[in-house]
Amino acid sequence: MKKRQTIFKKYLYISMLVFFAGLLILGVMIVFFVTRYWENDRWDNMKKSATAISVSVTENASFSGGEMSFDKDDKLAISTTVGMMSDGLNADIIVTDLGGNVLFCSYGKSGISEDTVIDMEYVGQAAEKTLQEVSDFGKIYDTKYYVVGVPVQTVGTEGLYSVGAVFVTSSAAHYTEYVVTLIKLFCSVGIVIFALMFCVVGVFSYQLTKPLRQMAAAAKAFGQGDFSIRVKSGSNDEIGELAEAFNTMADSLAASEGMRRSFVANVSHELKTPMTTIAGFIDGILDGTIPPERESYYLNIVTVEIKRLSRLVTSMLALSRIDSGELKMVTQTFDISDTVLNTFLTFEQKIDERKINIIGLDDNKPVFIEGDPDMIHQVIYNLVENAAKFTNVGGDITARVEDKGTDAFVTIENTGPGIPKEQIRFIFDRFYKTDKSRSHDKNGMGLGLYIVKTIVRLHGGEIKADSVEGEYTRFVIRLPKKKEALQKRAARDKDNKNN
């Protein structure tokens, strides 16, 4: 019971700490943005009101020699407008001439009389351009005020000119009161929510910790379930017991289930390549994309792919035995240059669609090796498929077959995005896919290069990859030409392993 109380408190404290931090951050953000919005809205309303008063003064005034005069009705209209806007804004509105003399004012609010003279610094700034600041308005007020001033302008012979100014002022204490009220409201709501969440999280955490021993016992009972999950826990409480039971269950099944999944994944990946080729050519014949005179040519390729599909099924069934060394190759002598050529013909349509240039294919001379032709075809097919897939449109694929003493070398190089330097050493791992390959090939399983490396090693050869990002990717395969060389290399590797 003591352990459960410890776990309960730990989860409760952590949960409440996270919630409180989130609530505090949210509150600060809300207060900041709301007050900024209120302040900006206040400035905007004051500017609009000042502009409206300025227009009203201009429309109702008479101008002579740069001075304004008003008849009785005009004064009444302007005074009424000033009073109404002052009440609506809860602000002071003052209209002056260029000398700072007050012409109209919401006297009841501002306490400014007709004898008051506004500081010429403020009048000059407002008459020249819009004034906006927080100040005591030339010591007219005892505290800080928001002050907005706009010019009163009329049209003369030389265009617009200023004849006075309109000021709208509002106490900054209103802003402080608004912020304090908002903070109080948020704190009140926050306390209620925090208290409620404390109760909810407390009850939930307590209920969560009660059945941990039962969950550990149940985990041991369904040992045939999802064993891929690993639980990390260094504690000695119920969670630690559950983690230990879970990991024991998973470890007991990991080896056999891993082999089964690997086999299924390999089959899915490798059977789709010839099936895609077959479907593409047949669809091309059915929809008329391939002209009748070329149908026989492509049907022959389909026939070859169907036969290879049958051989691939057999090869894939034996793939699980490759890793254990139980698979024996069907060795015969064949021209690897011809294998490379036929593989490129399989991708003719895709290469033409992407306007890819093939370099070096016509210059390759026959190079005969001893090995399993179907497996080597699988190797070349996977490399050419990757090259056609990742080469940039209008780019180049270079294919070279070279005879160098006891070994044959096959090089497949393509232009394109390349492979990051830090990922090169992982590309032959089972199920590994680079970031670029994930974006280009979302259906691949990351098994193609693993199979390539496995088959090449089975033939006693090796494969190396080289790439520069944004320039090229190159794969070089070395294969022994003679079976005797393969056997000698296998024996030497075995002796090195024993030693």
Side-chain angles (χ1 to χ4, degrees):
M1 187 64 181
K2 184 178 180 180
K3 292 181 180 179
R4 293 183 181 179
Q5 291 175 346
T6 301
I7 297 171
F8 164 71
K9 290 180 180 179
K10 179 174 66 175
Y11 283 123
L12 180 61
Y13 293 156
I14 292 176
S15 300
M16 298 315 300
L17 180 62
V18 172
F19 178 76
F20 179 78
L23 190 64
L24 181 62
I25 294 173
L26 178 62
V28 172
M29 293 179 63
I30 290 175
V31 171
F32 175 78
F33 286 110
V34 171
T35 52
R36 285 296 300 273
Y37 174 82
W38 182 92
E39 187 176 29
N40 291 334
D41 184 68
R42 187 68 174 172
W43 283 119
D44 187 59
N45 288 334
M46 291 172 67
K47 288 179 184 178
K48 289 179 179 178
S49 298
T51 302
I53 295 295
S54 175
V55 172
S56 177
V57 171
T58 302
E59 291 176 347
N60 291 279
S62 299
F63 302 94
S64 177
E67 295 183 355
M68 295 179 288
S69 61
F70 307 85
D71 58 27
K72 184 178 180 180
D73 293 334
D74 293 333
K75 285 185 177 180
L76 179 59
I78 295 173
S79 297
T80 301
T81 302
V82 168
M84 291 176 61
M85 286 194 173
S86 176
D87 292 335
L89 281 176
N90 193 23
D92 299 334
I93 299 177
I94 306 157
V95 181
T96 72
D97 58 18
L98 291 179
N101 300 308
V102 176
L103 303 178
F104 301 93
C105 182
S106 54
Y107 300 109
K109 291 184 175 296
S110 65
I112 299 173
S113 66
E114 292 181 345
D115 298 327
T116 303
V117 178
I118 304 301
D119 193 325
M120 289 300 298
E121 179 181 352
Y122 289 88
V123 175
Q125 291 182 36
E128 183 179 351
K129 59 181 180 180
T130 300
L131 168 68
Q132 178 178 309
E133 65 176 35
V134 179
S135 68
D136 60 2
F137 199 30
K139 298 184 178 180
I140 289 179
Y141 298 113
D142 296 329
T143 59
K144 296 294 183 181
Y145 268 63
Y146 290 98
V147 179
V148 170
V150 299
V152 176
Q153 296 180 319
T154 187
V155 179
T157 56
E158 296 181 1
L160 284 174
Y161 67 97
S162 297
V163 293
V166 177
F167 297 95
V168 177
T169 63
S170 177
S171 176
H174 297 160
Y175 174 77
T176 303
E177 292 173 0
Y178 181 82
V179 173
V180 171
T181 301
L182 187 62
I183 292 175
K184 288 181 178 179
L185 177 62
F186 176 79
C187 289
S188 301
V189 175
I191 291 173
V192 174
I193 295 176
F194 188 82
L196 180 62
M197 287 300 299
F198 184 89
C199 297
V200 172
V201 172
V203 173
F204 179 79
S205 298
Y206 179 77
Q207 293 297 327
L208 182 65
T209 55
K210 284 181 62 177
L212 286 179
R213 289 189 182 275
Q214 292 82 356
M215 290 174 60
K220 297 176 183 178
F222 47 79
Q224 299 298 322
D226 183 8
F227 59 89
S228 61
I229 300 174
R230 297 293 188 273
V231 179
K232 296 181 180 180
S233 177
S235 62
N236 295 320
D237 51 28
E238 292 87 351
I239 295 179
E241 294 178 14
L242 178 59
E244 183 179 354
F246 226 172
N247 293 336
T248 300
M249 174 190 65
D251 291 339
S252 66
L253 299 173
S256 60
E257 186 67 8
M259 293 295 293
R260 183 185 67 82
R261 290 186 178 183
S262 176
F263 170 76
V264 173
N266 278 306
V267 170
S268 301
H269 181 271
E270 293 307 318
L271 292 186
K272 86 171 179 179
T273 50
M275 292 175 66
T276 300
T277 301
I278 293 170
F281 288 149
I282 291 177
D283 288 343
I285 293 173
L286 293 176
D287 62 21
T289 303
I290 297 175
E293 60 273 13
R294 297 283 290 173
E295 289 181 0
S296 297
Y297 171 78
Y298 286 103
L299 284 175
N300 287 331
I301 296 178
V302 169
T303 300
V304 172
E305 288 300 308
I306 291 175
K307 292 179 179 178
R308 191 168 75 85
L309 185 60
S310 177
R311 294 193 298 269
L312 278 176
V313 171
T314 303
S315 298
M316 292 302 297
L317 290 174
L319 183 60
S320 59
R321 300 198 301 272
I322 290 179
D323 294 331
S324 61
E326 297 176 1
L327 181 66
K328 293 183 179 179
M329 299 182 300
V330 180
T331 304
Q332 63 185 76
T333 302
F334 65 99
D335 181 8
I336 193 171
S337 295
D338 188 59
T339 301
V340 173
L341 176 61
N342 290 334
T343 303
F344 271 90
L345 289 177
T346 304
F347 291 91
E348 180 181 6
Q349 183 177 358
K350 186 172 184 178
I351 290 172
D352 290 340
E353 289 175 353
R354 296 176 58 81
K355 298 180 175 57
I356 298 174
N357 302 313
I358 306 302
I359 301 173
L361 196 60
D362 296 333
D363 299 329
N364 292 330
K365 296 180 180 179
V367 178
F368 290 89
I369 66 171
E370 290 185 5
D372 190 315
D374 291 331
M375 289 187 178
I376 297 302
H377 184 278
Q378 183 86 33
V379 169
I380 305 301
Y381 190 100
N382 287 350
L383 294 180
V384 175
E385 182 186 36
N386 284 341
K389 186 185 304 176
F390 296 106
T391 301
N392 54 301
V393 176
D396 302 324
I397 298 179
T398 301
R400 292 193 302 271
V401 180
E402 301 172 282
D403 187 346
K404 295 184 179 180
T406 59
D407 295 318
F409 287 79
V410 179
T411 301
I412 304 295
E413 178 180 336
N414 66 279
T415 59
I419 303 172
K421 183 178 180 180
E422 65 274 11
Q423 298 184 22
I424 281 287
R425 61 193 182 99
F426 300 113
I427 61 174
F428 293 105
D429 291 348
R430 191 182 299 214
F431 304 114
Y432 183 79
K433 297 182 71 177
T434 66
D435 294 338
K436 290 185 174 66
S437 68
R438 292 180 193 277
S439 60
H440 282 78
D441 181 21
K442 294 181 171 54
N443 297 319
M445 298 290 293
L447 293 169
L449 292 179
Y450 168 78
I451 294 174
V452 166
K453 185 175 182 179
T454 302
I455 293 176
V456 169
R457 283 186 172 180
L458 189 63
H459 281 74
E462 62 180 351
I463 181 170
K464 295 182 178 180
D466 181 35
S467 181
V468 174
E469 282 192 88
E471 295 184 18
Y472 70 89
T473 300
R474 180 191 303 123
F475 290 90
V476 179
I477 306 170
R478 178 188 58 78
L479 293 169
K481 294 192 298 181
K482 296 294 184 181
K483 184 177 180 180
E484 292 78 11
L486 188 156
Q487 292 173 338
K488 290 180 181 179
R489 182 173 288 109
R492 184 168 62 251
D493 292 341
K494 183 177 181 180
D495 292 339
N496 292 336
K497 184 177 181 180
N498 293 333
N499 295 332

